[in-house]
């Protein structure tokens, strides 16, 4: 009885060794492919940035006069005006390697700045909308969040608050319009946001 067990053990060890080696080969191949691609990206020459989706803050249509004397809201306004002085581009979900391949390695510094400005924009819009909502200015908060969603923000709180506003304003059907936007986000947050919005559209408002 011992021999079959011993033979099975040997077979298992051989199989395990094979699987470990196979896994290592895949990891090595993946690493080689990554560094080869990164090397190609670093050799890519500067390209025009004309086709980037630059974001313009529409101050003329946003509720910039509402609660403008509130210090926190005034601070948000100052941040937005400061951001408007430079290029803003949403590059969420695009790796530096891909950016260098698309626009050239010499542009990576500029592109990083553009994306960082967008990150600040998305967070500032969410903060401003929340402050307006807390102050009872629901329609104004809706306007801020509508703009935020148009920039393809992946700040989940913005979608949650906008869905709540739609419910309060008696227009819950508008939540369905947010779902395809969320589904198209190039962000790890997309599935979570989509799931929340589908639940909200079905009449549930999960935490």
């Amino acid at each position: 009885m011992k021999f079959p067990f011993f033979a099975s053990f040997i077979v298992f060890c051989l199989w395990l060794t094979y699987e470990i080696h196979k896994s290592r080969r895949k990891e090595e191949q993946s690493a080689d492919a990554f560094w080869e691609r990164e090397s190609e990206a670093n050799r890519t020459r500067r390209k025009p940035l004309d086709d980037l989706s630059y974001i313009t803050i529409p101050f003329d249509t946003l509720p910039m006069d509402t609660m403008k004397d509130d210090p926190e809201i005034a601070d948000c306004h100052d941040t937005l005006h400061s951001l408007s002085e430079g290029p803003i581009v949403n590059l969420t979900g695009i790796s530096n390697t891909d950016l260098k391949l698309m626009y050239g390695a010499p542009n990576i510094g500029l592109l990083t700045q553009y994306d960082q400005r967008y990150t600040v924009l998305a967070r500032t819009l969410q903060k401003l909308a929340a402050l307006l909502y807390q102050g009872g200015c629901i329609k104004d908060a809706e306007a801020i969040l509508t703009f935020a969603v148009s920039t393809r923000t992946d700040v989940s709180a913005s979608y949650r608050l906008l869905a709540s506003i739609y419910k309060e304003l008696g227009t819950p059907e508008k939540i369905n319009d947010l779902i395809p936007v969320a589904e198209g986000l190039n962000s790890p947050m997309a599935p979570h946001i989509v799931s929340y919005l589908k639940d909200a559209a079905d009449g549930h408002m999960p935490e």
Side-chain angles (χ1 to χ4, degrees), residues 2-15:
K2 290 183 178 180
F3 180 76
F5 172 78
F6 181 73
S8 298
F9 178 73
I10 293 298
V11 170
F12 172 76
C13 288
L14 291 173
W15 172 82

Side-chain angles (χ1 to χ4, degrees), residues 126 145 154-163 189 193:
Q126 168 55 31
L145 292 172
D154 69 342
V155 177
S156 60
S158 293
Y159 292 90
R160 291 198 302 269
L161 181 55
L162 189 53
M189 292 301 299
I193 296 171

Side-chain angles (χ1 to χ4, degrees), residues 101-162:
L101 286 170
M102 289 187 288
Y103 298 105
N107 279 325
I108 192 62
L110 279 176
L111 294 170
T112 299
Q113 291 178 23
Y114 296 174
D115 188 51
Q116 289 173 343
R117 296 174 71 83
Y118 176 74
T119 299
V120 175
L121 173 66
R123 292 175 179 172
T124 302
L125 291 173
Q126 168 55 31
K127 181 180 179 180
L128 177 57
L131 289 169
L132 291 170
Y133 179 79
Q134 292 163 10
C137 303
I138 299 178
K139 290 292 293 183
D140 292 322
E142 179 189 14
I144 296 295
L145 292 172
T146 298
F147 169 58
V149 169
S150 75
T151 70
R152 303 179 67 79
T153 179
D154 69 342
V155 177
S156 60
S158 293
Y159 292 90
R160 291 198 302 269
L161 181 55
L162 189 53

